[in-house]
Amino acid sequence: MKALGIDIGGSAIKGGIVNLKTGSLVTERFRIETEKQLTPPDMAKAIAQIIKHFKWKGPVGIGFPGVIHGTRILTSANLHPDFIDCDGVKLFSRKTGSKVALTNDAAAAALAEMKFGKGKNFQGKVLLLTLGTGVGSALAYRGNVTPLELGHLLFEGKDAEKVVASSVRKKKDLSWGIWGRKLGAYIRVLEDALWPELIVIGGGVSAKHEKFFKYIKARAKVVPAGLLNEAGIVGAALWAVQK
Ligand code: BGC
């Protein structure tokens, strides 16, 4: 069983065909850079381009960086504001001619990590954070994933993701130590509320975990995502076939 997983991010849209038994990509990733914010119809075109690239006819799952209720997108902190209140499933299905399933990007990554990555066979409470353009979050307990929006908690007087996202470190050219300590302080706030047993850090920066994990003094064990930056694609593909 295979599905096409698409991960919509702040700077690129990535897709790949995923073997749902093993959680591995059976193709190279296909990536479309998005230097400027795409409007919803242009995003639908980009998704159609990915489907066409793979000549794909099967299930399609999409991870979107915002709150999803049912088929609707309710927030769009880092993408075009026209996504707010847009029926994403309707728009993407209509423009691509494929039936798509839509979920939050961090929830997708958490699904993949719980099934194939660092949460595999773990029944306890797991907090997953994705650090990229924004901060994605999801909680898993007994393997069930709940999307969260912890990136928008108030931290240091700001929207937390404006302080601790990986994009902020790059934009402000912060040292790993300065950024890592801020991230550590933020994670301690999350820990006091959620008490996870395991914290999984995903997003592109998770590949460089040895540069900043040392600054995170958490109660829980902190690990990089097993699927690194592919968790979003794999999880979106899993979502496509979830009942
Ligand atoms: C969005 C979340 C998303 C995260 C990571 C945040 O700005 O509100 O829904 O999961 O970015 O992309």
Side-chain angles (χ1 to χ4, degrees), residues 65-67 75 77-78 104-106 130 134-136 149 152 161:
V67 174
T75 69
N78 295 301
N104 171 262
D105 57 350
T130 61
V135 173
E149 287 292 333
H152 299 296
E161 69 177 19

Side-chain angles (χ1 to χ4, degrees), residues 48-85:
Q49 199 185 329
I50 295 179
I51 296 174
K52 199 164 156 215
H53 169 86
F54 290 113
K55 301 187 179 67
W56 185 246
K57 301 259 181 282
V60 179
I62 300 175
F64 182 90
V67 174
I68 312 293
H69 283 182
T71 60
R72 301 190 83 80
I73 297 169
L74 300 193
T75 69
S76 174
N78 295 301
L79 294 189
H80 201 288
D82 284 1
F83 279 109
I84 297 169
D85 235 8

Side-chain angles (χ1 to χ4, degrees), residues 128-172:
L128 178 120
L129 296 175
T130 61
L131 306 174
T133 307
V135 173
S137 52
L139 197 65
Y141 183 56
R142 306 244 159 128
N144 293 313
V145 170
T146 303
L148 299 174
E149 287 292 333
L150 303 175
H152 299 296
L153 289 180
L154 198 64
F155 180 70
E156 291 188 353
K158 289 191 208 159
D159 202 25
E161 69 177 19
K162 298 273 184 299
V163 182
V164 298
S166 170
S167 59
V168 176
R169 184 191 65 81
K170 287 190 200 147
K171 205 157 92 198
K172 296 197 174 159

Side-chain angles (χ1 to χ4, degrees), residues 77-97:
N78 295 301
L79 294 189
H80 201 288
D82 284 1
F83 279 109
I84 297 169
D85 235 8
C86 151
D87 189 322
V89 169
K90 204 190 252 175
L91 171 79
F92 297 145
S93 299
R94 200 185 279 155
K95 293 258 173 160
T96 60

